[in-house]
Amino acid sequence: MFRLILRSTYKTYHGKLGYFFLLLLMTGSVAHILLLNTIWPVNVYDPIVGFDLSVFPHPVTPSSSHLLGTDPLGRDVLSMFLAGSEPLIKLSIVSFITGLISSLIVGTFIPFLFKRFDLLLREFSSGLVLISPPIVLLILGTGDFLEKLSPEVVGFIYGLLGGLGVCYLVISTRVKELINSEFLNASRVIGASELQIALKHILPLIIPYSVALMLSVTTSGIVAYGFASFFGQVGWTPNWGMMIYDAITYGSYLGGTNLWNLMPPTFGFILCSSSFYLISISVKKQFGITL
Amino acid sequence: MFYGINILIPGDFLTPLRLMMSQEELDALRETLGANDPLIQQYYRWIQSVFSGEITPGGFRQRSSKTVLDTVLPTLHVLLPSFVISIYLSRIPALKTKVKRLGKEKIFSDVFGILLISLFPPIIYFLIGDRLETIFRSLFERFEITGTSSEILLFSEVKLGLGYLIFVIACSFIIVSFFELITMIMIPKQKILIASSLLLVVLFFFETKEVVTMLYYSKNAFITIGILTILLIGEFILFNNIIVQNISKEDHIMTAAAIGYSNQKIFKDHIIRNSFFPFATRIAINLPYTVASLVIVESTTGWGGMGSMLYRAIMSQDSNAAMAILFLLAILTATLRLLITFSQVIFNPQLRGTQNV
């Protein structure tokens, strides 16, 4: 099923563009590791503590040694930009997989096999939908969790909120629509158990819904992580939110706020969130999902 | 659920004081403020303050002078105009598309929508904040508008707040009319009429000093509205693309096109009317995310609405105040959803049962 989704989404323009953006980000992330281990001296090009002593004052405009210039704290903008893609890719993948697994497991079995719990879980999901995940991240970031909020943890929390929230509500509704369909009754007549029906008939039909929804949720997860990192709520990891914060805050009294400091992280956020959203549109189109 | 979140949030509003006070002093302060009382007792005090109409950090015995409810009107001052402007402006790409192309993929429009959503509020503020401030300053100088934001204290807060709400909604209709005129969609007679009647209401019922204060107050409000509108337009363009695409594939649209109705007529009479409920439902579902945007935008521009209050409450670990705002926002979301559901039942004949079909 997942191979079918991958193959069919690639056929659309949205899908092609989405995969291209994702590939671009992954290549950037790998290139950063390679460059830092081979060509770039760590003391100059480290995305957090790097500083170029040969250039002064910082920030400097794009040049041959610093292709995207440096930020007010003397760090190379290209290195920070490439390093910033890694946490977001990690977050997106963890969030997508967590949400997908949780929504598929809960969404397939509860409304179909454990109908009594469905009502309770739907109430819980409706409550979760009312709570904005970026706010939850902001709340967690203020407490003792700050150092533990790695991109993977944020992705897990976000995936769980998305999977058990909006995704469960949509999937359980779809499962309820399917419960009395003729092909399921036919399977029962020829002796299929309820578990077999859930796994062989229900699950494949709800996978595209879950994939499309979780891809959309992941998009907002990326933006939310950006917000949280801008406010310094995700610990000391190289990220684009922090790049924007540093460019504006330190730039205001260290050489001015410059566009070359702000454009790369903005472009990165656009690239990352559009990649997932475009693939999500593609899944919806290919599987006739009108959400 | 909100009380559950309150329990989950590590620390309380006194936690940041651990850097300045000893543990003994902190414990004594906790005891005085009732932070060590049983949770049920704190919950009772909080819920009591909700029903008395004063939602403050009321889980504790001492109350802050700034109530959460004071932030509701400033929030509406920026939220409602942003909604009005972005709902109308997000329709423009679809209105400029030919009907036969509406059902096809809109990759540029989609990417443009995502671009607007992904734009960081601080960056938008950096790009437009100074320019808007300069425009306002030159306008104030030109029309000799002098005053300070502190003058707001001289007038009745509720009256001025309601008047200002009418004023910003009128302004938002003027902005929409301006964009509709320059994009040559139509001559927005209705919107101009609504805007001028609302402005007349403000001029008749408010004193000159109050109107001048409103104008002065507008500077910060419009910067906030501008940033929020950009984010919302992106979101609504994506909604519109999906909804319009689905509706344009329906038989009645094809029939209307075959009869030879103009693009404008098909869009106005058939697509917009049918897209209202799916659009409203999506807005209601996305409200929590709008709230998140509000937090970021308000804390960037320093606007004193629920968003910045929530941000301050979270940052100072004042979990009761945060819970109160989240509770209010949840009520707002739930009310909006209920309204949409009821209006759907009232206005949609397919949902009214077989007797009316």
Side-chain angles (χ1 to χ4, degrees), chain B residues 18-76:
Chain B
R18 66 187 168 191
L19 301 170
M20 293 171 264
M21 297 168 94
S22 67
Q23 191 57 43
E24 289 77 29
E25 285 172 321
L26 210 57
D27 287 341
L29 196 61
R30 273 209 174 89
E31 189 57 43
T32 322
L33 296 174
N36 291 336
D37 288 352
L39 284 175
I40 190 76
Q41 213 170 321
Q42 290 184 41
Y43 179 70
Y44 173 72
R45 276 204 297 270
W46 178 73
I47 209 81
Q48 207 180 19
S49 63
V50 170
F51 287 109
S52 66
E54 189 195 7
I55 308 172
T56 60
F60 302 98
R61 283 175 201 150
Q62 281 191 353
R63 292 169 182 228
S64 76
S65 56
K66 177 79 181 160
T67 60
V68 176
L69 283 174
D70 281 351
T71 58
V72 175
L73 263 179
T75 308
L76 293 178

Side-chain angles (χ1 to χ4, degrees), chain A residues 14 129 132 142 231 266 273 291, chain B residues 110 118 120 123 282 288 311 317:
Chain A
H14 284 88
V129 172
S132 171
T142 51
F231 288 122
T266 310
S273 43
L291 287 169
Chain B
D110 284 336
S118 324
F120 236 59
I123 289 185
R282 274 161 196 270
Y311 177 71
Q317 296 184 332

Side-chain angles (χ1 to χ4, degrees), chain A residues 233-247:
Chain A
Q233 303 289 88
V234 292
W236 281 99
T237 47
N239 56 65
W240 295 327
M242 198 176 71
M243 270 177 89
I244 296 171
Y245 179 83
D246 290 348

Side-chain angles (χ1 to χ4, degrees), chain B residues 26 38 49 71 77 115 122 162-163 242 271 288 317 326:
Chain B
L26 210 57
S49 63
T71 58
H77 289 159
L115 187 144
L162 289 173
I242 297 168
I271 295 176
Q317 296 184 332
L326 285 170

Side-chain angles (χ1 to χ4, degrees), chain A residues 12-14 17 124 126-135 138-140 142-145 158 166 217 219-220 223 226-227 230-231 233 241 244 248 257-259 262 266 269-270 273-274 277-278 281 284-285 290-291, chain B residues 1-2 5 8-10 18 104-107 110-111 114-115 117-123 126-127 231 238-239 242 245-246 282 285 288-289 291-293 295-296 299-300 310-311 314-315 317 322 326 330 333-334 337:
Chain A
T12 62
Y13 286 119
H14 284 88
L17 201 63
F124 175 72
S126 305
L128 277 186
V129 172
L130 290 179
I131 302 165
S132 171
I135 305 290
L138 212 60
I139 291 170
L140 291 175
T142 51
D144 301 331
F145 293 117
Y158 216 90
V166 68
V217 170
T219 309
S220 34
V223 180
F227 287 158
F230 178 82
F231 288 122
Q233 303 289 88
I244 296 171
I248 293 175
T257 310
N258 301 299
L259 272 181
L262 291 173
T266 310
F269 276 122
I270 293 167
S273 43
S274 36
Y277 198 82
L278 289 170
I281 292 176
K284 284 178 190 169
K285 276 198 169 105
T290 52
L291 287 169
Chain B
M1 181 163 275
F2 288 101
I5 294 174
L8 283 177
I9 301 169
R18 66 187 168 191
K104 294 186 177 162
E105 289 187 353
K106 296 184 205 67
I107 197 151
D110 284 336
V111 173
I114 300 165
L115 187 144
I117 289 177
S118 324
L119 271 180
F120 236 59
I123 289 185
F126 172 72
L127 293 173
L231 293 176
L238 295 175
F239 290 172
I242 297 168
Q245 201 171 13
N246 292 337
R282 274 161 196 270
I285 290 173
Y289 290 95
V291 169
S293 309
V295 172
I296 312 298
S299 50
T300 305
L310 181 59
Y311 177 71
I314 292 171
M315 286 301 152
Q317 296 184 332
L326 285 170
T333 314
R337 279 191 196 174

